[in-house]
Amino acid sequence: MVTLDLMERKRAQEVLERSVARFAALIEHGRDVITIVDADIALLYASPAYERVFGYHSAELIGKPLGVTLHPEDRERVTSILSCLVADRGAVRNLECRFAHADGTWRYGEVTFVNRLDDPAVLGIICTTRDVTERVEAAARLVHQALHDALTGLPTRSLVMDRLATALARTARANDVVAVLFCDLDAFKVVNDSFGHEGGDRVLIEVAHRFTRELRGADTVARTGGDEFVVVCEGLSGVEESTALAAHVRDIVEEPIVFDDFETAVSVSIGIVTVAGSEASTADPLTLLRNADAAMYRAKRGGRARWVLFDESLVSAATCRRGLESELRRALVADEFVLHYQPIYDLNDDTIVGVEALLRWDNPTRGLLQPHEFIGLAEETGLIVPIGTWVLRQACNQMRRWACEVRWPGWMSVNFSGRQVAEPGLASAVNEILAASGLNADLLRLELTETALLRAGHAAAVELGAVRKLGVHVGMDDFGTGYASLTNLQQLPIDFLKIDRSFVITLTRGGKMRDNGNAIVAAVAQIGQTLDLETIAEGVETEEQAKLLREYGCPYGQGYQFARPAPANEIAKLLTAPNFLPPGAGDFAAWSSS
Ligand code: C2E
Ligand code: MG
Ligand code: MG
């Protein structure tokens, strides 16, 4: 009986020991850190996991206040919660706080405190801590990513809207001025096309860097789209300070961007909106941003690389622009575009040597629109690419008819925008259109503005070179309005130069301007001869201008003095006029009506 009792006790003892060992193993190897603090919040016990997770050996901690293991910012909160818990026997609390790691970093812990001060086996508060650093950091990264742009690290649109709302509230109290600058890089697509997306990204990062470097700490700079940045500045003295700021932003962006392997330059168009303290409490951030955007569009249309201050008239312009944009999208399908043609004359014998195709939009409600009313918009929206293809096809077909049916031996000039040459596969597209129309390549000329040619990067220059290999002539339009150097003229893949109308005008103006104009035109004609580039003067309006051009050695001219742009059938009459009609040419009346 006694033996049996002893054996049972021994077995019970073994069971107890096993379960203690099991719990000890659980505590030792579990991923949670178990600590016990006494009623004074000093550490009584720390499980071995403490060293694994926080790097400190438990012996270093026993007897110390729990606070010393916590982040200074969390100390007061945690100890005050624990002080309350001490009085609340059996209570449980959960919280999150940062613990010191022996390597000097902070770890996030999710802690459950259970008050077991009354339990004789514990006599303390059990703290079970789980290391949640990775989860907390991942969540913080997600929040940062949502609010910051991955490429530049700048705040995104949602964060800048938030900051703007805060800035407005502060401005209302401080009674100063807050400004929103909507900045859009000009022709950024060209940078991407020239240097690849990686190059484009590097340029964006550099621009973002310049923004953050130059603006004050209190200002917010956000990247709100591909090449779009929004700056919010508060505490300004007035509108003048906002425009000075915009001018500064423009200057810093325009500074050349130099990398080890390539160099480029970009400009920026800026729309500004300002709000004074008195209006700040009622201003709506979304409307402000939209207004700044409308002002930016005005800057673009005004020729880019400039700032425009918002005023109410821009609201109706923006609405009008949106209307125009959707109409423009439909216009191609609805077949509303037409080409007019303007003859180009040999200044020495007054014969027509070529015609230039000029686009018009026969809008059902607005009437016949001129290029300046819609080409800018077509470029901004990218619609210029399909429209340009239509123009080229139409012009080639027309020229083929003139070449065959009236045997007119001149050439057809077609305007191309920078956006079009930035499209890959330009040469094959041109070749295809030539083949479809049956037109000889050497009867076609492409005109690109000076600025477009200078902005065109390496890839575009290669494409233009391929276009020239087809036999098509390529030339620089509006020469004198950009900054082409002699080196540029020599290196660009071009065959002719069109002297901008603004120089031709000065030929016959009064005073010093006249002298300068004459000198410039003479020099350009000379450069043309030296570099073997044909020169064509644009906008010749008087016989006197024509005479001077002839004297300076400019061989060709176009302008109201000779003929205005007109529909194909009107021009056909000029081409088939007796002195232009080569022997054997077909009957004009037979095809002019088609
Ligand atoms: P541009 O290529 O320099 O064309 C010459 C412009 O000068 C034409 O204006 C023409 O009508 C005008 N002009 C010609 N002679 C005179 C003159 O004696 N006096 C004055 N004051 N003006 C004269 P338009 O047709 O309004 O075209 C304006 C611009 O629009 C063109 O300038 C060209 O850059 C662009 N454009 C026209 N058609 C197209 C097109 O199909 N594609 C592209 N991308 N751009 C086009
Ligand atoms: Mg032109
Ligand atoms: Mg021109």
Side-chain angles (χ1 to χ4, degrees), residues 356 358 415 447 477 498 538:
E356 176 174 8
L358 294 161
N415 292 288
E447 297 185 4
D477 204 350
K498 295 187 83 170
E538 296 183 307

Side-chain angles (χ1 to χ4, degrees), residues 452-474:
L453 265 177
L454 292 183
R455 286 222 179 102
H458 179 67
V462 170
E463 278 295 327
L464 283 177
V467 169
R468 284 176 84 212
K469 281 216 181 78
L470 298 173
V472 177
H473 292 235
V474 174

